Amino acid sequence: MNKSLLIVAHIPSPNTMVLRNAVIKGAKSPDITGIDVVVRTPFEADAEDVLLADGIILGTTENLGYMSGALKDFFDRIYYPCLEVKQGLPYGIYIRAGHDGTGTKRAVETIITGLRWNPVQEDALICRGDYKPDFEDQCEELGMLMAAGLEAGIF
């Protein structure tokens, strides 16, 4: 039976859509098999999506030093239904930050700490400053890391 990777990404701009698509591309690498990739915006995703997931990648913009309202809404809706059931869920995160991104990272990680999910990255991927094409490579690597880790049973 395939494992499920849920990608929940806020995509309010062409740049953020490109980053989300890079994550998908990495997760669907032809070298990786046995992973079903489910992609939702934070408004589309619900607790059932999380309950069915074997891993999750979250993507958000930096909005006034905080996560997007869309991602916060997602957390508000899934928190209690998933709290006890999905402890230990492996997760990755990428942040598109025009400035610093650390406030956004702290806000997301505070909620994730409460959910008791396990990070697959040493640190969140923060795509800071003016848009750079290498952001796409970094996001693709994140998608590939998560899918390959799930496939190999590391996560």
Side-chain angles (χ1 to χ4, degrees):
M1 188 161 117
N2 286 356
K3 292 185 179 177
S4 177
L5 171 58
L6 176 61
I7 299 170
V8 178
H10 184 53
I11 50 170
S13 68
N15 286 347
T16 53
M17 185 174 286
V18 167
L19 297 181
R20 194 259 339 244
N21 290 345
V23 171
I24 295 167
K25 180 180 176 186
K28 291 185 173 184
S29 168
D31 296 331
I32 301 168
T33 59
I35 303 297
D36 294 326
V37 178
V38 178
V39 182
R40 304 273 190 268
T41 69
F43 292 126
E44 295 168 337
D46 60 23
E48 187 67 23
D49 292 315
V50 177
L51 292 170
L52 293 172
D54 296 297
I56 187 169
I57 296 176
L58 303 166
T60 186
T61 51
E62 172 188 58
N63 291 8
L64 304 171
Y66 195 71
M67 74 184 88
S68 68
L71 190 63
K72 177 62 169 76
D73 175 76
F74 164 75
F75 281 132
D76 288 345
R77 290 181 291 105
I78 66 96
Y79 192 88
Y80 288 109
C82 297
L83 180 60
E84 298 299 324
V85 182
K86 294 307 287 189
Q87 291 181 19
L89 181 70
Y91 80 91
I93 183 169
Y94 69 96
I95 298 166
R96 175 62 188 112
H99 297 290
D100 176 71
T102 57
T104 305
K105 174 183 175 287
R106 183 173 44 255
V108 172
E109 288 178 346
T110 296
I111 294 170
I112 289 174
T113 297
L115 287 164
R116 297 182 206 111
W117 293 354
N118 293 331
V120 300
Q121 307 153 278
E122 191 168 319
D123 207 3
L125 170 58
I126 302 177
C127 302
R128 276 187 188 91
D130 292 336
Y131 189 86
K132 299 174 190 72
D134 70 317
F135 292 164
E136 296 166 43
D137 295 335
Q138 294 168 358
C139 286
E140 185 175 340
E141 287 173 15
L142 174 59
M144 192 177 303
L145 167 76
M146 178 65 88
L150 287 172
E151 176 190 44
I154 296 169
F155 311 131

